[in-house]
Amino acid sequence: MAAGERAGRSGPGRALPAVLALLTVLAGAVWWLLTAPVARAAQAAQAAQAAGVPTCTLGAYLSDLYDIEPAKHTFAARFRLWSVCPERDLDPLPKASFSNVSNPERGDPVVTVHPGGFRDVMLLQGTFRQNWDARAFPFDRQRIEVVVSAGRPLEEFRFVPDNANSAVSEDVAPSGWRLTGFRLVATEHRFPTNFGDPSLRPGTGVTHSQVRIRIGLERDDPTAFLKLTGPLYLMVLIATATFLLPSHSEELAMGERLDSLQSRLGLLGGGLFVVMLNMQQVSAVVTSSVGLTLLDWLHLLTLAYVLLAVMGTVASWRWTVRGGDPVRAERYHHGGAVYGLLGYSVAAAALVGWFAAADWVW
């Protein structure tokens, strides 16, 4: 009885420290996620100040995101950018360049004085060039960027991202997409020229500070996938149905049986044409310079399926002409159709699952 009481008391007593430890770890993880961006910005500022390089914080507010066109490798956006500098002459926005924007529209800067320094706020709108990775369409997750480059060399000026105050408008809702992330990242870019600076040795390069405004996107239009792959599945079902129809019954003469096989070959040949035509149409909608997309693989899989059906029809034709058993051939047709459709379904599902689970970019 005493041993049972000790066992009953020791169970909760041992579990309580484990629960407390787990809660402590979770609280620490949440605190790190909340403070990590601010801590990294502070560390970057301290490192720049230790090196004696002037710094300014740069923040961004995304107010609109529209005209997202992966086929044209572009997107359009509207931002409100701000910089906070200890001195007015350090303001980077008037001389900043935006490396991937076409015909930018800049608003008039609004400079205000605060206890922490000088703040400059500027509106930016334009169409930005972007390399899209559409291999996993429509399950792709994209990371689009706006690159802000300082007008001074790295030895004279550095950006510090203001992630603590940067945000996205609640009204941003690009058609067919969903936002998954927004952050500013400090980078450096090495130019292979000194831009004619006489203070530098000829032939040497120069490095400038940059901030990359990164926006995470995820497609939110599942119907697009069905529209583009619908003809493939229809062709697979038609090709399978041709092997399930009776073509070698005893009532049919040899000539009628051959006519049936020829009709099947004609239908499968037309199916190859349909698949190739749909593949060209899809390539005009979904473009990727990285590699084969999910839709490319599905088209190739469908082509292989139809080609195997053509080869099976030709083999059956030759065997029947040479005196093969028609009933046995039809039995092979039915079994091949069932197993072929099952194999196609498994392969297509595996491709879709793999591309949907792969984390290509973000």
Side-chain angles (χ1 to χ4, degrees):
M1 183 67 178
E5 293 177 355
R6 286 195 300 269
R9 289 193 298 267
S10 62
R14 293 178 179 177
L16 183 59
V19 173
L20 293 176
L22 179 60
L23 292 176
T24 303
V25 172
L26 291 177
V30 172
W31 175 258
W32 182 85
L33 290 175
L34 294 176
T35 59
V38 179
R40 285 195 296 267
Q43 290 174 1
Q46 291 174 1
Q49 291 174 359
V53 179
T55 63
C56 290
T57 60
L58 180 71
Y61 175 73
L62 177 62
S63 58
D64 200 3
L65 182 63
Y66 55 99
D67 289 346
I68 300 177
E69 300 185 10
K72 296 181 179 180
H73 300 283
T74 60
F75 69 94
R78 183 183 296 112
F79 291 92
R80 187 184 296 270
L81 304 178
W82 65 85
S83 65
V84 178
C85 304
E87 300 177 7
R88 180 68 177 88
D89 295 339
L90 291 176
D91 186 4
L93 292 184
K95 298 182 180 179
S97 62
F98 304 93
S99 306
N100 62 328
V101 66
S102 302
N103 300 323
E105 300 179 12
R106 302 192 188 196
D108 296 331
V110 179
V111 181
T112 55
V113 182
H114 299 271
F118 295 83
R119 181 172 69 103
D120 187 0
V121 181
M122 182 186 73
L123 293 176
L124 172 67
Q125 180 176 346
T127 300
F128 299 87
R129 301 179 299 275
Q130 176 71 39
N131 291 325
W132 299 80
D133 187 352
R135 285 176 292 176
F137 176 91
F139 309 103
D140 50 328
R141 292 173 288 276
Q142 303 290 341
R143 184 185 68 194
I144 59 179
E145 295 183 333
V146 174
V147 184
V148 185
S149 300
R152 302 179 183 182
L154 190 65
E155 294 79 10
E156 300 178 7
F157 176 83
R158 291 188 183 182
F159 278 122
V160 176
D162 185 8
N163 280 299
N165 296 310
S166 298
V168 179
S169 171
E170 296 180 354
D171 298 329
V172 173
S175 177
W177 296 87
R178 181 173 62 88
L179 267 69
T180 59
F182 182 79
R183 68 176 182 268
L184 279 63
V185 179
T187 60
E188 300 174 0
H189 182 73
R190 178 73 176 176
F191 294 95
T193 177
N194 61 9
F195 300 102
D197 189 346
S199 64
L200 299 177
R201 184 168 58 87
T204 59
V206 63
T207 303
H208 285 227
S209 177
Q210 286 185 341
V211 167
R212 294 178 178 267
I213 305 174
R214 293 180 174 175
I215 307 168
L217 293 176
E218 212 172 59
R219 291 190 190 266
D220 194 24
D221 185 14
T223 60
F225 181 71
L226 297 177
K227 293 178 182 178
L228 295 175
T229 58
L232 300 182
Y233 304 142
L234 181 61
M235 186 60 234
V236 169
L237 293 177
I238 292 176
T240 304
T242 60
F243 283 85
L244 296 177
L245 296 175
S247 59
H248 292 96
S249 61
E250 296 180 357
E251 290 79 6
L252 294 178
M254 177 59 70
E256 294 175 336
R257 294 170 185 168
L258 295 180
D259 290 341
S260 176
L261 291 174
Q262 290 176 347
S263 300
R264 180 185 300 168
L265 280 176
L267 182 60
L268 294 175
L272 290 174
F273 177 77
V274 170
V275 174
M276 293 299 297
L277 182 62
N278 191 74
M279 191 173 186
Q280 293 179 357
Q281 294 177 347
V282 169
S283 298
V285 177
V286 183
T287 58
S288 176
S289 58
V290 180
L292 294 176
T293 66
L294 169 61
L295 294 177
D296 292 334
W297 282 109
L298 289 176
H299 278 82
L300 293 176
L301 177 64
T302 306
L303 285 175
Y305 183 86
V306 178
L307 285 175
L308 286 177
V310 171
M311 293 172 59
T313 301
V314 172
S316 176
W317 189 356
R318 291 175 59 85
W319 190 51
T320 304
V321 170
R322 295 180 179 180
D325 185 8
V327 177
R328 187 178 179 183
E330 186 166 329
R331 191 161 55 245
Y332 287 156
H333 289 174
H334 293 173
V338 173
Y339 288 110
L341 182 60
L342 180 61
Y344 178 90
S345 302
V346 171
L351 283 172
V352 172
W354 187 74
F355 274 90
D359 188 7
W360 298 104
V361 178
W362 191 258

